[in-house]
Amino acid sequence: MAVRETEAIVIRVRKWGESNLIVTFYGRSCGKITAIAWRARKQGSPFNINLELFTYLHLTYYDKEPPRELGIINQTSVIKPFYELRGNILKLSVASYLTELVDMGVKGKERNESLFELLLATLHSLQNGCDPELLISFFELHLLGILGYRLRLNTCTSCQKEFIPDYSNTRKRLEIDLDCGGISCTSCLKNNGAPISYGIIAVMRYLERTEIGRVGNLRISQAMREELRKAMSFYVFHLLGKKPKSADILKKAIQNA
Ligand SMILES: [Zn+2]
């Protein structure tokens, strides 16, 4: 049985049997893995607190070997516990949504250090109080890019003409083209995608270009926030093939914040 070591983030935890946990991690050097922590829920087990959701840790595990479908967790040592993400309803909802997107979007053990860094940096920013709605959209746009589904935000997917922003005309609508991964201009609307305005395209471009530390510098109206979340959710859920379980709870948490 091969022993492996990696930095990892806990993205899903479920109880198994009387005292065990099955834990899914996203690891810096191993991608997504699922492993069992034997007797983790017994009093005194170090796994009891080390394997809470979102914990950033150093992990040693035995890799799975057919016919066994799970790895076995050997040792854990916490690097950053991210307590605050579990102690605040809004932050908990956002972090649950982000980790569920990673869980749904990544199929197996492909190593992807950019994705690991994106998730880690986003959890840090969330803990430090960054605007949750902008942070989610930032994460989604960068996640799409890393997974090969980057939204094309400069030219129309049909006629290839460059968008000339017309911020004065708020009734002028464009649309996210689900089949082509970009935006349809006013002349090429297919009327089967998510409506989107020039203003939101500009916000998306900013979020795509900027560093995570500058996400909170953006100031947009409540109406634009709602439009941004609606458009991003529409595209992301379409690509994933279904709505993440945490999406409705997240929506309520944002409304009540
Ligand atoms: Zn067009």
Side-chain angles (χ1 to χ4, degrees):
M1 240 184 324
V3 181
R4 312 239 183 250
E5 287 183 39
T6 183
E7 282 176 38
I9 296 166
V10 176
I11 61 170
R12 182 154 49 100
V13 184
R14 59 199 154 105
K15 293 175 182 172
W16 193 70
E18 267 194 18
S19 60
N20 314 305
L21 289 175
I22 292 178
V23 186
T24 302
F25 301 90
Y26 195 76
R28 185 188 286 281
S29 55
C30 63
K32 187 171 92 171
I33 55 156
T34 300
I36 187 159
W38 293 109
R39 292 174 287 283
R41 283 149 57 215
K42 291 255 186 214
Q43 217 170 11
S45 165
F47 295 147
N48 216 340
I49 47 167
N50 290 3
L51 293 174
E52 294 213 59
L53 262 180
F54 322 128
T55 302
Y56 170 37
L57 44 75
H58 192 89
L59 171 70
T60 311
Y61 66 102
Y62 296 107
D63 211 356
K64 67 171 184 180
E65 276 173 16
R68 203 159 35 75
E69 289 182 1
L70 296 171
I72 298 172
I73 298 167
N74 182 25
Q75 271 190 328
T76 53
S77 141
V78 174
I79 301 169
K80 193 170 175 82
F82 284 122
Y83 294 127
E84 288 168 38
L85 299 183
R86 298 187 295 273
N88 169 297
I89 296 276
L90 179 59
K91 289 180 181 177
L92 175 65
S93 310
V94 176
S96 300
Y97 176 74
L98 302 178
T99 46
E100 191 178 356
L101 288 189
V102 172
D103 197 11
M104 289 174 80
V106 176
K107 292 295 164 229
K109 295 204 295 181
E110 305 84 26
R111 172 186 176 139
N112 192 326
E113 204 154 345
S114 305
L115 177 49
F116 182 82
E117 286 292 346
L118 173 67
L119 179 60
L120 184 59
T122 309
L123 293 179
H124 269 293
S125 288
L126 181 64
Q127 167 143 311
N128 293 339
C130 181
D131 184 313
E133 285 166 278
L134 294 177
L135 195 58
I136 295 167
S137 298
F138 172 91
F139 181 84
E140 287 169 330
L141 283 163
H142 287 262
L143 178 69
L144 292 175
I146 289 170
L147 297 178
Y149 298 101
R150 185 175 169 266
L151 254 182
R152 279 185 290 145
L153 297 170
N154 293 311
T155 52
C156 170
T157 52
S158 298
C159 67
Q160 310 298 327
K161 279 188 193 148
E162 200 170 326
F163 296 126
I164 299 161
D166 179 5
Y167 301 116
S168 60
N169 187 349
T170 52
R171 279 178 303 174
K172 211 169 190 178
R173 307 299 289 181
L174 301 95
E175 182 181 271
I176 293 186
D177 181 342
L178 295 177
D179 302 325
C180 302
I183 313 287
S184 299
C185 76
T186 321
S187 317
C188 302
L189 288 183
K190 296 177 182 170
N191 292 314
N192 63 357
I196 190 169
S197 63
Y198 284 117
I200 294 302
I201 294 176
V203 169
M204 286 178 172
R205 283 182 188 164
Y206 174 85
L207 291 174
E208 211 182 42
R209 279 196 319 262
T210 198
E211 290 171 16
I212 196 164
R214 302 172 78 89
V215 169
N217 296 352
L218 194 63
R219 296 280 176 268
I220 59 171
S221 68
Q222 186 56 34
M224 283 184 85
R225 283 167 179 276
E226 284 167 20
E227 192 188 339
L228 174 66
R229 289 303 316 132
K230 214 169 169 180
M232 285 306 306
S233 305
F234 191 85
Y235 185 55
V236 170
F237 300 173
H238 170 78
L239 286 176
L240 292 173
K242 63 177 179 181
K243 182 158 68 164
K245 286 181 195 151
S246 55
D248 286 335
I249 299 168
L250 172 66
K251 201 172 168 186
K252 277 198 194 107
I254 289 174
Q255 281 165 354
N256 295 335

